[in-house]
Amino acid sequence: MSIKNAESIDFLVNGQATGDYEIIFKKYFPALKAYAQLFVHEQVAEDIVQDILVYLWENRGNIQIHTSLEAYFFKSVYQRCISHIKRQNLLLKHHSQIETNLREEEISYFDSEKNEAIRKLFMNDLQKEISSAIDSLPPKCREVFEMSFLQDYKNKEISEKLAISVNTVESHITNALKALRGKLAKLMP
Amino acid sequence: MSDSAINESLIFKYIQGQCSPSEKEEILQWLAQSQENREVYFRFKALFYALKANSYAQNTHLEQSVKSFRQKTHRTNRIRTIMAISKYAAILIIAVSIPLFLWLTRSPKQEFITAQVGTNDPIKSITLNDSTKVWLNKNSKLSYPQAFTGDERLVKLEGEAYFEVKKDSQHPFKVQTPSITICVLGTSFNVKTLNNHRLTETTLAEGKVSLQKADGKNIAVMKPGEQTNFDSQTNSLTTKEVDPELYSGWRQGALLLKNVTIAEIAKVIESMYRIHVQVNTAGLESKKYNFTFHRTQPIDTVMEMLQFIAPIKYKIKDKQIHISKN
C-alpha cells in the first residue's frame, strides 16, 4: 500500500474513519520507530511515535502542515526524542566527556532537517542501493552481516549458530562494513 | 590514515552496546580523532537502525503497534463523543439544579441546639442524633444540630466534653473549638478548652483523631493515650502520653485511681471540680498511690482523704488549691 504525501494529507483532512488513517500509520510507523531509536531505547521510541500519530489523528482538523507529512513526522519524532533526552538528563549520564560530546554531535547529525539523506534512508528510498550493496557481499560474509545487523544476534551467538569462531565472525563483519562504508558515504554525504 | 587503525567490527559492537570496557576505550579514542571517523560511525549507526524499519514493517510487529494505536484512538473517540454529549448535559444539569438546590435548601438551615452546663448544674449527658454520646462538664457549652445532614457531623464546643463517637467513616465527626477542629472517624476522647478558649487540650482514649487549624490545615494525627495541647495564639502544639482515664474521670462521678502520682491525682481533681491545683511536692514525684473518691464529695473532704494517704498538706484559697510536701 503506497500513498503519496499529498494524498496522505487529503486523508487527514477528509478521512473521518480511523481505518483510513491506519494506512498512514502503517506506512510511517516502522520508519519513525526505527529513526527514534537513534536517540532513545526501543520502548520509549514506540511510545513517542505512537503519541505523535495519535496526536495528529486527534487534532487532524486543527493542524496545518506546511511541509510534507513525512518531513513533519520526522521533525516531530526528532523534537520529542530530544526533549525526552533533556528531561531525563540522558546526556549527563555518560561516563566520559568524550562520550557526551559524541552524543551531542550525533544528535545534530541525525537531525532530519539538516540531513535529508537520513530521512530517505529510513523511508527506504535508498533501499535499492543498500540491498544491492549487501547482496554483493560474499555469501558467508553476508549471512553473518544479516544475522548481526538485521536479527540482532550477538557475535558469540552467531559463532555458536554457524559453528565458526568469534574471530571469524568479527572479520566477516569487518569486511562487510568495509564494503558498505564507501557506498554509505556516497548515499549520505 | 588514522581511521584504518580501527577494526570495523568494533564500531558495530559499539553500536550494539557489546563492547568490553577496553574496547570501548579504544573506539572512543578513535572517534575522538577526527570528524571523518565520527561520520563513518554515524552512517553505520543510521544504517543499523534504518534496516530495523524493515523488521518493524513486518506484520507480526506492526499488528501489535496498530492494535495499541487503535485502542488509544478509540478511547479518544469515545471521550470526544462523551464530551460532546456532556456539553449539553451540563447545561441541562445546571438549568435543573439551580431551582432544585434552592428548593432543597429553602427549609431548615441546619439549626443548632446549644446545651449549656453552668457551675452549679450537674454534668449533662447528651445523645446526638447519630447516637454519639457526649458528656458535657460544668461551665461548658456544646452546639449541635438536631439532625446531622451533609457530609460531616459538626459540633461546636467551648469548655470540656467527653465524646464517644458513633463510627461512620462516610461522615467524619468534627469538634470545633475556638482554636482548632478535631476530626474523628469513630473514637472516644476528651476535649477541654482553657485560657478563655485559646488553648484546646485533647486526650484520646481510643481510635484515631486528627487536628485541624481554623484554616483547615492538618496539624497532627493522634494515637490513643496521647494528649495534645494547641495554643491558637502562639500556633504551637505539644504532645505527651497520658492515661486517658485520668482526663475523663469527671463524667463518671466515682473514680478509682490506681498507681498514680500526686500530680496525676491533682489533674483529676482539677478536671472534676474545675478548680486550679498547684502541686509543689519535691521528692514525691515518683511515688505512686491508689486513691478513690466520688464527685459528690466536697472538695475539702477529698483533700483531707488525700492528706491521709500521702505526706502532703493543702491550702484552698481563691478557687485554687496548693498542695505541698508535709
Side-chain angles (χ1 to χ4, degrees), chain A residues 26 28-35 37 121-124 127 150, chain B residues 46-58 61-62:
Chain A
K26 285 180 177 166
Y28 290 103
F29 184 83
L32 294 173
K33 180 179 170 184
Y35 175 66
Q37 278 179 260
L121 182 70
F122 279 85
M123 283 311 290
N124 268 339
Q127 189 161 36
L150 304 183
Chain B
L47 178 68
F48 175 69
Y49 285 106
L51 292 174
K52 273 189 187 301
N54 290 333
S55 69
Y56 293 153
Q58 270 151 26
H61 192 106
L62 195 53

Side-chain angles (χ1 to χ4, degrees), chain A:
Chain A
M1 200 133 15
S2 96
I3 359 162
K4 293 204 171 65
N5 285 326
E7 281 174 282
S8 305
I9 292 167
D10 198 46
F11 261 120
L12 278 180
V13 176
N14 302 316
Q16 284 301 307
T18 329
D20 297 340
Y21 190 65
E22 272 177 22
I23 297 171
I24 293 181
F25 184 94
K26 285 180 177 166
K27 180 181 175 189
Y28 290 103
F29 184 83
L32 294 173
K33 180 179 170 184
Y35 175 66
Q37 278 179 260
L38 286 173
F39 313 102
V40 296
H41 285 294
E42 182 173 357
Q43 192 48 54
V44 181
E46 167 104 23
D47 291 345
I48 284 177
V49 177
Q50 284 269 358
D51 281 354
I52 288 170
L53 285 154
V54 170
Y55 177 83
L56 184 64
W57 170 246
E58 283 173 358
N59 297 285
R60 58 194 177 278
N62 310 324
I63 290 182
Q64 296 245 330
I65 297 171
H66 302 292
T67 55
S68 70
L69 189 58
E70 182 183 303
Y72 167 82
F73 278 142
F74 273 84
K75 193 180 169 182
S76 304
V77 170
Y78 182 76
Q79 282 170 343
R80 291 221 192 184
C81 288
I82 301 310
S83 68
H84 175 85
I85 288 170
K86 283 193 180 142
R87 230 185 4 257
Q88 307 281 318
N89 262 329
L90 294 181
L91 281 181
L92 300 176
K93 283 180 184 155
H94 291 295
H95 300 295
S96 66
Q97 188 59 40
I98 300 179
E99 245 181 319
T100 305
N101 292 345
L102 179 71
R103 286 288 282 163
E104 275 169 358
E105 191 178 332
E106 171 181 330
I107 282 167
S108 121
Y109 183 89
F110 293 143
D111 181 350
S112 71
E113 278 194 317
K114 292 182 200 154
N115 187 348
E116 209 179 337
I118 282 281
R119 217 171 72 204
K120 285 190 181 155
L121 182 70
F122 279 85
M123 283 311 290
N124 268 339
D125 295 344
L126 305 177
Q127 189 161 36
K128 228 172 160 183
E129 288 90 336
I130 302 267
S131 42
S132 78
I134 293 174
D135 286 346
S136 61
L137 296 171
K140 207 66 184 173
C141 177
R142 180 181 156 191
E143 190 180 5
V144 170
F145 174 81
E146 284 183 346
M147 282 178 87
S148 186
F149 243 69
L150 304 183
Q151 292 156 39
D152 268 345
Y153 282 111
K154 298 214 160 83
N155 293 354
K156 195 151 174 297
E157 293 166 336
I158 299 172
S159 98
E160 280 160 11
K161 280 208 181 260
L162 301 181
I164 52 178
S165 73
V166 176
N167 275 340
T168 313
V169 172
E170 285 184 5
S171 78
H172 279 311
I173 291 172
T174 304
N175 291 336
L177 294 187
K178 266 184 180 150
L180 286 174
R181 189 168 153 171
K183 192 92 179 170
L184 272 182
K186 257 183 241 156
L187 294 175
M188 287 188 279

Side-chain angles (χ1 to χ4, degrees), chain B residues 11-71:
Chain B
I11 302 174
F12 187 56
K13 265 185 164 178
Y14 182 65
I15 293 171
Q16 283 184 312
Q18 284 189 40
C19 280
S20 69
S22 66
E23 287 173 329
K24 193 170 162 182
E25 189 59 33
E26 191 186 338
I27 181 105
L28 286 176
Q29 286 302 325
W30 178 78
L31 287 167
Q33 268 172 28
S34 71
Q35 195 187 345
E36 199 191 326
N37 290 357
R38 287 192 289 279
E39 279 181 8
V40 170
Y41 158 73
F42 295 154
R43 285 186 199 112
F44 278 134
K45 184 167 177 176
L47 178 68
F48 175 69
Y49 285 106
L51 292 174
K52 273 189 187 301
N54 290 333
S55 69
Y56 293 153
Q58 270 151 26
N59 272 340
T60 45
H61 192 106
L62 195 53
E63 276 311 314
Q64 274 298 318
S65 301
V66 170
K67 216 169 124 191
S68 113
F69 171 74
R70 246 176 234 155
Q71 282 164 357

